[in-house]
Amino acid sequence: MSNPSLDDQIETVVEKLLSAKSVVVFTGAGVSAESGVPTFRDKGGMWTKFKPEELANFDAFMKNPDLVTGWYSHRRKIMSEVKPNPGHYAVAELEKVFDDFCVITQNVDNLHRRAGSKKIFELHGNIERNYCITCKKNHDLTGNYSPQAIKCECGGLVRPDVVWFGEILPQDQYAGAVAAAESCDVFFSVGTSAVVYPAAYMIIYAKQAGAFVVEVNVDYTDLSHYANQTLLGNSGEILPRIVRKIKR
Ligand code: BJW
Ligand code: ZN
């Protein structure tokens, strides 16, 4: 028997959705790629020059605050200039269809919220929030894309409110995300390489709790074997196709 076509695979997912009560969409950088936000680990990604651990950790920030701040300023500028893409809008549409629905995102770019999603767990923080590491005061850096370290009035360094390697995830966001992953009927994993933990556990927890797991990615990932269905392609094309079918 020949392999099912993408259309057939989408039909299988749509059938699962039509009998689902609770749906979770877990996302990574790939969902924002079609908006023009570089991913972390794809070719041409932002970390082809630097390894993740060289920039996204507290020691690197203390050792070279200009480098790390410059990198975040550059990314904040990109993120302020881009727009949500059809993948983000399709996720927001799904929320209107299901009473029990949430987004769990590893992204810090705010694009799900800007597309209209309401129930969002942000596992790795949000790049739009920044605070002083000494006095904890929040700093609004809108329009400030300084290539150099930014200092608070108290003299402390200002850092993005994101989760770096070795740091604990925001506990309320993590707990809410785990509960949702463990109680949903259909779980989508979209545009993530699924190599960063504990975020990637969401896929495993959902599967172990009995969810139908759908992966949407341009390529297979380390956790593809947990997926009941892997839909290969751009999330900005596949997610709207699914939404169109469930709303027909
Ligand atoms: C498309 C597409 C299109 C492209 N359509 N698809 C086991 C358990 C627990 C922890 C660990 C563990 N093993 C190791 C750890 C430690 C570590 C870790 O995970 N390391 C691994 C890398 C080995 N984890 C941590 O340190 C975490 N904290 C922690 O564990 O705390 C407890 C602790 C404390 C103290 C001591 C010890 C433990 C924290 C992790 C924080 C990660 N932070 C970052 C940066 C956030 C801020 C920022 O944005 O700068 O989060 S790293 C980076 O990776 C970012 C992302 O959210 C995350 C995931 O990346 P993502 O989204 O998957 O992107 P890519 O680029 O990898 O993939 C893109 C995908 O899209 C690809 O698959 C493409 O194919 C696809 N794609 N275009 C669809 N159009
Ligand atoms: Zn301060």
Side-chain angles (χ1 to χ4, degrees):
M1 218 175 77
S2 62
N3 287 332
S5 67
L6 182 59
D7 266 343
D8 292 342
Q9 291 176 321
I10 288 178
E11 202 51 51
T12 303
V13 171
V14 167
E15 273 164 32
K16 288 286 171 190
L17 279 173
L18 290 175
S19 61
K21 286 204 160 52
S22 167
V23 176
V24 168
V25 179
F26 171 61
T27 63
V31 79
S32 298
E34 289 156 84
S35 292
V37 180
T39 61
F40 293 92
R41 296 171 184 85
D42 293 319
K43 272 199 198 97
M46 66 183 88
W47 282 344
T48 45
K49 228 165 94 194
F50 294 101
K51 285 190 181 140
E53 56 276 15
E54 285 172 345
L55 293 174
N57 76 79
F58 189 75
D59 289 346
F61 178 64
M62 294 312 283
K63 225 177 266 166
N64 197 342
D66 286 344
L67 175 71
V68 175
T69 302
W71 182 54
Y72 278 96
S73 289
H74 168 73
R75 291 175 56 209
R76 269 193 301 111
K77 186 160 188 296
I78 293 175
M79 289 171 192
S80 74
E81 288 166 353
V82 302
K83 291 191 175 70
N85 68 57
H88 297 106
Y89 288 115
V91 174
E93 279 302 305
L94 277 182
E95 185 165 350
K96 295 181 191 156
V97 175
F98 296 96
D99 291 338
D100 192 356
F101 181 93
C102 74
V103 176
I104 303 173
T105 190
Q106 299 168 85
N107 299 344
V108 299
D109 59 23
N110 235 4
L111 287 175
H112 284 300
R113 192 165 288 109
R114 285 174 56 194
S117 287
K118 301 264 185 292
K119 281 188 234 161
I120 309 170
F121 294 105
E122 291 180 324
L123 294 183
H124 292 160
N126 191 308
I127 201 166
E128 290 183 8
R129 296 191 304 261
N130 292 271
Y131 67 93
C132 166
I133 61 169
T134 307
C135 72
K136 312 296 177 214
K137 183 186 153 185
N138 292 324
H139 286 254
D140 181 0
L141 299 183
T142 311
N144 174 351
Y145 304 117
S146 165
Q148 270 118 38
I150 297 161
K151 289 263 179 77
C152 177
E153 305 85 67
C154 80
L157 286 167
V158 175
R159 65 162 283 181
D161 190 2
V162 300
V163 181
W164 283 332
F165 285 106
E167 294 183 333
I168 307 287
L169 278 60
Q171 288 307 288
D172 57 335
Q173 303 296 297
Y174 186 69
V178 171
E182 288 184 333
S183 62
C184 66
D185 303 312
V186 177
F187 180 96
F188 284 89
S189 173
V190 183
T192 177
S193 58
V195 297
V196 172
Y197 287 84
Y201 281 136
M202 298 303 140
I203 301 167
I204 299 171
Y205 293 157
K207 179 65 184 238
Q208 284 174 345
F212 186 82
V213 175
V214 183
E215 181 172 60
V216 181
N217 201 303
V218 291
D219 215 338
Y220 291 102
T221 70
D222 284 9
L223 297 189
S224 289
H225 55 285
Y226 281 96
N228 297 86
Q229 196 70 253
T230 293
L231 306 177
L232 285 182
N234 289 326
S235 50
E237 290 163 24
I238 290 184
L239 294 175
R241 277 171 73 174
I242 293 172
V243 170
R244 276 198 294 275
K245 283 191 173 228
I246 63 163
K247 289 181 90 179
R248 77 186 159 202

